[in-house]
Amino acid sequence: MNATVTKKAGRGATDGVVSEMATYFHVKPGHEREVAAACQRMVDALKQAPMAATIKTGLRDTRHVLFNNDTELLWATTFETEWEPYIDDAFLTVGFEHFVDWMQHTAEWETKIAPWIEASGGLESLTGDKTREGFEEHILGSMAGMRQILQDGQQKAAAYWNPVSFLTMSEITKAERINAAFQEVLDDPAAEEALQHPALKPLLAQAAS
């Protein structure tokens, strides 16, 4: 299904502040286990990254799915920022080496990804020490080609809904922190008198719901 390319979601669909991307790859024969393990390594790297860093990219969630007898691979992710900065920040924050790790096991590696890497100055120029002078500028200056590769394999969801699409991850995590702090106050006997103030009645009603 052809889809219009938008600034917010590329070829994907949007609900509230959240957009979805589903892009498809073909797995090289015999590379099924390798690609699955590499996808898991990328997720493990994301789990170890500081929450503030992943929130900055706009990431909501990500998953890789092998299907059609493990001959095809779906990379599905949802995000809050616009399409271009999301992809750029994802490669910068996670590290291009984690994408190379699983992409090298796809047929698109030889036909599209490796030629793009070569045209962008080679793999070494896209990986390694992120603090070296000009590294970020080089990545951002090269990403148009990678975004096109992802868009070439992207399919728009036939239907998409996110039940908390009206909230950003920053708002969700802030609400979690506020709730934890409020529960701590409720558990403190010294706060009992202060909590009787009429102005706090809405808070207490929410705590009781």
Side-chain angles (χ1 to χ4, degrees):
M1 179 177 66
N2 292 325
T4 302
V5 177
T6 68
K7 187 176 180 181
K8 178 68 176 76
R11 295 186 187 277
T14 297
D15 182 26
V17 300
V18 186
S19 299
E20 60 83 30
M21 182 190 81
T23 190
Y24 295 84
F25 299 83
H26 298 84
V27 179
K28 292 178 181 178
H31 287 243
E32 298 82 5
R33 290 187 178 181
E34 289 90 342
V35 74
C39 291
Q40 184 61 55
R41 285 192 292 271
M42 190 176 96
V43 169
D44 290 342
L46 276 170
K47 289 180 179 179
Q48 294 170 14
M51 177 65 76
T54 55
I55 287 177
K56 180 180 179 294
T57 68
L59 173 68
R60 288 290 281 250
D61 64 64
T62 184
R63 66 188 181 278
H64 290 83
V65 182
L66 283 164
F67 67 103
N68 195 13
N69 293 321
D70 294 345
T71 61
E72 296 184 73
L73 175 70
L74 161 67
W75 177 29
T77 182
T78 59
F79 55 96
E80 298 171 357
T81 51
E82 292 179 350
W83 157 259
E84 289 192 7
Y86 171 63
I87 297 301
D88 294 354
D89 287 342
F91 276 76
L92 274 171
T93 302
V94 180
F96 188 76
E97 59 273 17
H98 293 294
F99 289 92
V100 168
D101 195 15
W102 63 265
M103 285 181 170
Q104 66 182 316
H105 299 292
T106 68
E108 285 73 16
W109 178 262
E110 273 78 20
T111 60
K112 296 181 178 182
I113 301 168
W116 169 76
I117 290 174
E118 184 177 355
S120 300
L123 188 57
E124 187 176 344
S125 72
L126 301 169
T127 59
D129 183 8
K130 298 179 183 179
T131 64
R132 70 177 184 262
E133 185 177 356
F135 177 77
E136 182 172 335
E137 291 77 7
H138 176 67
I139 292 285
L140 295 178
S142 304
M143 283 302 296
M146 175 53 67
R147 291 195 302 269
Q148 187 60 55
I149 290 169
L150 295 175
Q151 255 181 28
D152 286 346
Q154 189 180 4
Q155 290 290 329
K156 184 177 182 179
Y160 175 65
W161 175 65
N162 188 301
V164 286
S165 65
F166 55 93
L167 293 173
T168 65
M169 279 298 297
S170 293
E171 291 169 333
I172 292 169
T173 55
K174 181 179 180 180
E176 182 182 28
R177 293 194 303 271
I178 291 173
N179 180 64
F182 188 51
Q183 292 301 323
E184 187 176 342
V185 170
L186 290 177
D187 293 339
D188 189 343
E192 184 175 354
E193 183 177 348
L195 290 171
Q196 301 306 312
H197 194 287
L200 296 178
K201 187 176 180 180
L203 281 176
L204 294 172
Q206 286 296 320
S209 63

